[in-house]
């Protein structure tokens, strides 16, 4: 027999009432204060996952609590990993600082490496990069200009950028 919507709502309210406070406290210890993903966001996502998995959710008590805390911990770890992959944001005031001599040498080496890597690209890949990143055209505009499918533009851009990234990182 399928539970009614009101029974499901009541079960979810009870689940939140019994575990929400402890989960929030747990998640606050796992998320840094300046994090874009807050403990409250993670709690909401945990409860959403519980609702989506309500048929597989362990019946009350300790097994249910362990399930919720495991989901919450996984969400916190995923949020942490996502923050680590995100590029570092730089304040504009920091970018106005004059570069040090070491930074200038690094920039010159990077520019030479990049120039060499661009020279290693084939004409097809180089022309896609030029149109997309130098001239600022959209994928569709480049496809029309070069008379190739948009998927080919995306593919060439992907492989060209990957080649340049590998050249700059030494991979």
């Amino acid at each position: 027999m399928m539970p009614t919507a009101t029974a499901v709502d009541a079960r979810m309210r009870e689940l939140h009432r019994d575990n929400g406070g402890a989960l929030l406290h747990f998640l606050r210890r796992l998320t840094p204060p300046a994090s874009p993903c807050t403990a409250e966001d993670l709690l909401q996502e945990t409860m959403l996952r519980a609702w989506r998995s309500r048929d597989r959710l362990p019946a009350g008590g300790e097994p249910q609590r362990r399930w919720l805390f495991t989901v919450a911990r996984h969400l916190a770890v995923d949020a942490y990993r996502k923050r680590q992959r995100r590029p570092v944001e730089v304040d504009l005031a920091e970018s106005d600082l004059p570069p040090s001599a070491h930074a200038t040498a690094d920039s010159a080496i990077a520019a030479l490496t990049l120039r060499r890597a661009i020279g290693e690209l084939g004409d097809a890949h180089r022309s896609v990069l030029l149109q997309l990143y130098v001239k600022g055209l959209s994928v569709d505009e480049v496809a029309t200009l070069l008379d190739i499918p948009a998927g080919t533009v995306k593919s060439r851009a992907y492989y060209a950028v990957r080649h340049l990234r590998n050249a700059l990182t030494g991979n």
Side-chain angles (χ1 to χ4, degrees), residues 103-139:
T104 304
D106 287 344
S107 296
I109 292 169
L112 288 172
T113 304
L114 185 60
R115 202 171 281 132
R116 188 194 86 243
I118 289 172
E120 293 171 353
L121 290 173
D123 290 337
H125 290 85
R126 195 171 30 249
S127 66
V128 166
L129 284 183
L130 172 72
Q131 300 302 325
L132 284 174
Y133 299 109
V134 177
K135 293 186 178 179
L137 299 179
S138 71
V139 170

Side-chain angles (χ1 to χ4, degrees), residues 11 15 53-65 67:
R11 182 174 179 210
L15 183 71
S53 303
R54 61 189 175 273
D55 297 336
R56 297 185 315 267
L57 190 64
E62 196 57 34
Q64 187 179 69
R65 192 173 181 89
W67 187 93

Side-chain angles (χ1 to χ4, degrees), residues 1 14 23 33 44 50-52 56 66 71 75 78 81 86-87 91 102 106 110 122 137 142 154 156 158-159 161:
M1 181 170 103
E14 179 182 326
L23 278 168
Q44 184 176 3
W51 179 76
R52 287 181 180 158
R56 297 185 315 267
R66 274 196 307 270
V71 169
L75 289 170
D78 289 347
R81 288 178 179 157
R86 186 173 181 185
D91 186 17
H102 183 66
D106 287 344
L137 299 179
V142 174
K154 292 177 188 178
R156 287 179 184 173
Y158 170 80
Y159 287 110
V161 169

Side-chain angles (χ1 to χ4, degrees), residues 155-166:
S155 175
R156 287 179 184 173
Y158 170 80
Y159 287 110
V161 169
R162 187 174 79 171
H163 174 75
L164 298 179
R165 184 182 308 119
N166 288 342

Side-chain angles (χ1 to χ4, degrees), residues 84-100:
Q84 297 308 313
R85 284 194 311 260
R86 186 173 181 185
V88 176
E89 293 179 11
V90 178
D91 186 17
L92 288 178
E94 291 178 22
S95 64
D96 292 339
L97 298 175
S100 66

